[in-house]
Amino acid sequence: MSKSSNADTTSEPIAIVGMGCRFAGADDLHAFWQVSLEGRDTFTEPPADRWDHAAFFDTNARARDKSYCPVGAFIDDIQSFPAVALQVPPRRVEVMDPQQRLSLECALNAIDDAGYATGDLPRRTGVFMGVTAMEYRTIGSARTVAQMMASGQLGQELSEDDAAAIAKAVERVVPPRPFTAPGALSNMVAA
């Protein structure tokens, strides 16, 4: 136990008893440790199912709307998720940011690493996560923005062909649903 500068306030010691993680080239803590021990480089070109890397790559570091970096650290298989085991309805999973799904999996790994079964957690358990990227929310908004562009709400009204092309470009984006907002908000990840 440590005392703070205020004599009436004490701080209780804390312990990290379980950890979970997912990194490029490492699906769990033990695999990450192995990657670290081997000093393995897990940077690769962007997977084809993420985005068309050629459309955004340029060797000129000052090129507008481009990236001069040809590689990144990409987590494998961000689509699969044990929704049924976690009692998350499939329609909710469809509008959940992959970061939320990965966080749930990592939390389960941390519980397992601590030696607990999911139903036997101590009452005083803290969950601490930091999230900065919001790409999924941006992709989800693309459908609405495309509709606004096609109707001329963001400037000049488009031709029928242009409007159809924009609509086709976002047809695979899942339309908003009642659980879209909590599924896309980064402040919901730890919850």
Side-chain angles (χ1 to χ4, degrees):
M1 188 175 296
S2 64
K3 296 234 181 212
S4 67
S5 60
N6 183 343
D8 295 12
T9 307
T10 59
S11 298
E12 295 293 325
I14 62 166
I16 298 172
V17 294
M19 293 173 49
C21 68
R22 186 123 177 240
F23 289 98
D27 287 343
D28 59 30
L29 190 58
H30 302 291
F32 178 65
W33 181 245
Q34 194 61 41
V35 166
S36 299
L37 286 176
E38 294 170 5
R40 202 170 350 130
D41 180 0
T42 58
F43 281 69
T44 62
E45 287 188 10
D49 64 343
R50 301 284 177 91
W51 68 79
D52 179 7
H53 179 59
F56 299 101
F57 178 72
D58 195 313
T59 55
N60 178 0
R62 296 185 181 271
R64 190 173 184 175
D65 298 325
K66 302 284 184 179
S67 172
Y68 64 90
C69 184
V71 296
F74 297 94
I75 296 173
D76 294 329
D77 192 21
I78 60 168
Q79 296 303 322
S80 66
F81 177 70
V84 174
L86 294 172
Q87 301 176 5
V88 179
R91 288 179 60 82
R92 281 196 190 180
V93 173
E94 218 174 15
V95 292
M96 278 177 80
D97 188 322
Q99 293 177 107
Q100 289 188 10
R101 298 190 305 253
L102 291 169
S103 294
L104 277 171
E105 289 178 334
C106 286
L108 288 174
N109 290 341
I111 291 166
D112 184 53
D113 185 58
Y116 291 102
T118 51
D120 297 333
L121 287 176
R123 286 188 25 210
R124 293 180 53 141
T125 300
V127 178
F128 305 91
M129 297 184 179
V131 177
T132 57
M134 307 250 329
E135 293 94 345
Y136 192 78
R137 186 171 165 187
T138 302
I139 291 168
S141 302
R143 190 179 186 96
T144 303
V145 172
Q147 290 170 338
M148 293 172 71
M149 285 176 66
S151 67
Q153 293 178 7
L154 298 179
Q156 183 178 355
E157 193 168 336
L158 303 176
S159 70
E160 274 188 43
D161 289 342
D162 289 340
I166 289 173
K168 184 166 179 49
V170 294
E171 67 186 13
R172 288 182 24 203
V173 176
V174 177
R177 297 198 180 124
F179 291 102
T180 296
L185 295 173
S186 57
N187 63 346
M188 296 298 290
V189 173

